[in-house]
Amino acid sequence: MPKTKTIHKKDSRPNAPGWLITLEGGEGGGKTTQVVRLRDKLTQAGFQVVTLREPGGTVISEQIRKVVLSAKNVGMAFTTEVLLFQAARAQIYREIVLPSLKAGKVVLMDRSHDSSSAYQGLVRGFGLKLIEQLNNISTQNTYPDLTILLDLPVEVGLDRVAKNRPEKVDRLDMEAKDFHQKVRQAYLDLAANDKQGRWQVVDASRGIDEIADDLWRLVAKKLKLE
Ligand code: TMP
């Protein structure tokens, strides 16, 4: 068993010394695969790691996931969509993310705040100001230490999803290609306007191992493991 790493308190979140790392991006960028790779490397390095996905990650949030993503719910109002993603987020932060950060763990998330900023804020048109206010409520003002955007051309991403996970067609996957193109641009804009200095953009059109190496380099640098 690896020894548990001592994590030193950070000025930005003195009462919650753990690290919050989020992977973001459109469809088919390999976020889920890379979360597993990172978890294994961080565990080997001696950290206590919690991996989560949004929407989901708790019993209540997984129930909300079903409602918000079900292909049957095509009639869902955009406002309902905004609030359901936030409801799922409020629950996972209250139940798991915040206690884990307080306990000094590394929390690795497959999507979080920035999915709402990109999809609902910029693409659906609710605006970043409103989404930021809602994110602040649901996360209790907790922001990631590091956010990695897995960026790739929309056609490549959608092709990968169709080939590797043909069963995965949720309500948002059903949107037209133009929607996914806007999502890609929204993420690139968020990364380009990085006020908190937390974004890194990685070319996700490459092979899994190459991407995993890049991600580990970025995480190791952030956690000062080099
Ligand atoms: P995924 O977990 O398979 O990527 O599916 C989640 C979908 O939900 C994806 O299309 C992105 C979308 N989403 C939002 O639109 N807003 C959010 O806040 C979150 C967390 C996800």
Side-chain angles (χ1 to χ4, degrees), residues 25-27 31-32 53-55 65 68-69 81 85-86 89 110-117 119-120 165 168 170 172-173 179-180 187:
E27 313 300 325
K31 292 184 295 303
T32 313
R53 69 168 177 183
E54 273 203 48
R65 180 183 178 96
V68 74
L69 294 183
E81 180 183 294
F85 282 122
Q86 294 293 343
R89 182 162 303 133
D110 179 344
R111 299 192 181 280
S112 192
H113 311 59
D114 304 297
S115 287
S116 286
S117 299
Y119 285 79
Q120 283 70 48
R165 290 185 296 160
K168 186 199 173 282
D170 64 38
L172 284 120
D173 295 331
F179 172 88
H180 296 287
Y187 272 120

Side-chain angles (χ1 to χ4, degrees), residues 1-223:
M1 279 290 273
K3 235 173 92 219
T4 303
K5 262 240 158 28
T6 308
I7 301 180
H8 298 290
K9 286 195 175 183
K10 284 174 290 170
D11 296 340
S12 59
R13 219 190 293 119
N15 298 323
W19 296 93
L20 178 56
I21 300 170
T22 56
L23 298 194
E24 292 281 356
E27 313 300 325
K31 292 184 295 303
T32 313
T33 309
Q34 296 297 340
V35 161
V36 174
R37 294 279 188 114
L38 272 180
R39 180 199 61 199
D40 292 348
K41 284 190 176 141
L42 281 164
T43 307
Q44 267 171 21
F47 289 93
Q48 285 188 283
V49 187
V50 177
T51 58
L52 299 166
R53 69 168 177 183
E54 273 203 48
T58 72
V59 172
I60 294 171
S61 307
E62 288 291 334
Q63 290 176 67
I64 298 171
R65 180 183 178 96
K66 285 205 180 99
V67 174
V68 74
L69 294 183
S70 169
K72 287 185 197 141
N73 290 335
V74 279
M76 184 176 291
F78 290 168
T79 312
T80 310
E81 180 183 294
V82 167
L83 296 172
L84 284 176
F85 282 122
Q86 294 293 343
R89 182 162 303 133
Q91 192 64 34
I92 200 177
Y93 272 75
R94 174 84 165 70
E95 241 185 81
I96 304 181
V97 179
L98 295 169
S100 300
L101 292 175
K102 281 200 179 111
K105 297 178 184 173
V106 179
V107 180
L108 273 180
M109 299 186 75
D110 179 344
R111 299 192 181 280
S112 192
H113 311 59
D114 304 297
S115 287
S116 286
S117 299
Y119 285 79
Q120 283 70 48
L122 293 174
V123 179
R124 296 292 200 211
F126 284 86
L128 290 178
K129 201 169 157 212
L130 173 68
I131 298 298
E132 197 174 325
Q133 284 169 339
L134 294 171
N135 277 338
N136 283 340
I137 294 169
S138 51
T139 67
Q140 300 181 37
N141 300 305
T142 306
Y143 272 80
D145 299 296
L146 173 64
T147 297
I148 301 174
L149 170 57
L150 292 174
D151 176 62
L152 79 173
V154 167
E155 306 77 41
V156 180
L158 293 178
D159 240 42
R160 277 190 191 164
V161 174
K163 279 194 193 115
N164 302 338
R165 290 185 296 160
E167 76 292 348
K168 186 199 173 282
V169 179
D170 64 38
R171 199 172 53 80
L172 284 120
D173 295 331
M174 285 158 55
E175 291 280 354
K177 193 171 152 200
D178 176 54
F179 172 88
H180 296 287
Q181 196 59 55
K182 285 184 187 152
V183 169
R184 182 185 189 196
Q185 193 54 51
Y187 272 120
L188 289 170
D189 290 347
L190 288 174
N193 289 297
D194 181 10
K195 293 200 183 73
Q196 297 160 329
R198 65 181 167 89
W199 283 86
Q200 294 287 343
V201 183
V202 165
D203 173 3
S205 63
R206 298 166 302 156
I208 291 175
D209 292 339
E210 254 179 295
I211 302 170
D213 287 348
D214 267 10
L215 262 54
W216 179 241
R217 196 174 37 77
L218 293 170
V219 169
K221 189 168 175 215
K222 178 55 82 174
L223 272 60

